[in-house]
Amino acid sequence: MIEQLDIVGEEAACSLAGVHARSSMAGGARVVIGADASVILSDAVDEPGASGVWSGELYRLMGPASAVVRARLVDESDGPLPVHLFVRVFGGCRYLGAGRPVYSSCADGELLQCDLRIEPPLAPQVLDEVRPTGPSPHTPSLDWLTQLGEDPVRALGHFATGWYPRTGSAPVAPGAVPADLPQALREFYRLAHQRPEMLGRQNRILPATELRPGVDPRRVVFGEENQLCFRWELDRAETDPVVWLTAAEDRAEREPLSGFLMQFSLFEAMTAAPYQAQAWYTPVPEPLVQDLTDRLRPVPLRPWQWPADPTTFHVAPGLIACASDLGDGMFEITIGARHRGAMRPFGELGIDWSSFDG
């Protein structure tokens, strides 16, 4: 019987699938579906788009995967057949144990992603072997920080061009943006035209063609929360207008539009980053938050109001963090990073992370 962390040959690993086994590839991993079990074998890699170990608790199979794989991992995920996880290492295949599917994403009948829980979790030294993390590649500079006080619109442009690659075109070309909008919003739309992610994945800035009247007829709605619990409005006649958060009652954001768009962009870049850390379910005491933020540079803008008021931003090359004050000296922390190496040092601070990709 194979025990967790044993090393076996690839054929011995595949034999656990049993008779009538069918083999296919998904995200660089070999997936074997048999009468007795499923077997997934991957290389020891650390790439967001490749199948492999994601964290000490999670293995991520990336698709597209065959219909047979989808049927076994998604449609029959609560069945009795185990899913054995292996990673190729020096000397053979390291057995990680039987994974339990906990999340899947499908489209047009194809399995695009399946996360499997590793139980028990892998120790740090094992994690370094089966998911080796190299040095951080070139990361965006923080030159935009020094520009915020004098020219926040220019700072936004430098941040956006450094953080987001040009990936295509947004629905509305720059020529379709109304000329009477404030400069900061027109510049935001210009940048987002070739970087559609800037419009937001968690919350969103509305495309220029979707702007609509606000609660106050002098204002327009230009942004909204993902569940429509509140909206952001502005008076387009002002040069750098106040941003109003409208819900049960109107509240003014502390920064005018030019600073607000920087904060919005930081938050959305953080939540869309490939590597995440969250301390949500167990609030973090202020001394630990101070230990974390001491390693980062504060963003010199007044706090904004979401997801809790006040929320402040802190950055390092390729990394964005926000700290939301919950009161009584307790905080909620979120970090997003472009590379895992930028995240790893924060796993040693004693914070009780609800999830941590370092």
Side-chain angles (χ1 to χ4, degrees), residues 57 276-296 321-324 329-335 343-358:
E57 298 82 25
Q276 299 281 319
Q278 292 102 18
W280 291 348
Y281 307 122
T282 303
V284 182
E286 188 169 6
L288 290 181
V289 176
Q290 190 65 51
D291 287 346
L292 185 149
T293 56
D294 282 348
R295 303 181 181 210
L296 304 171
C322 76
S324 298
M330 305 301 285
F331 290 76
E332 181 179 277
I333 301 294
T334 307
I335 300 177
M343 183 83 72
R344 296 192 73 176
F346 300 101
E348 304 167 359
L349 296 180
I351 293 174
D352 184 10
W353 298 104
S354 49
S355 65
F356 186 76
D357 291 342

Side-chain angles (χ1 to χ4, degrees), residues 126-210:
V126 177
L127 188 58
D128 286 339
E129 177 193 34
V130 298
R131 192 213 61 194
T133 300
S136 297
H138 173 72
T139 52
S141 78
L142 298 179
D143 291 347
W144 56 270
L145 269 178
T146 61
Q147 301 165 354
L148 267 177
E150 295 181 0
D151 192 342
V153 176
R154 184 173 174 227
L156 174 62
H158 283 192
F159 168 77
T161 55
W163 187 276
Y164 290 103
R166 294 186 178 188
T167 58
S169 295
V172 181
V177 175
D180 64 343
L181 292 178
Q183 179 202 3
L185 188 55
R186 285 188 283 112
E187 176 64 8
F188 182 91
Y189 284 135
R190 186 190 70 80
L191 293 164
H193 176 58
Q194 293 183 314
R195 300 167 185 85
E197 275 193 283
M198 284 188 65
L199 293 174
R201 182 180 295 183
Q202 176 72 24
N203 304 318
R204 71 174 188 138
I205 299 296
L206 302 180
T209 53
E210 295 182 25

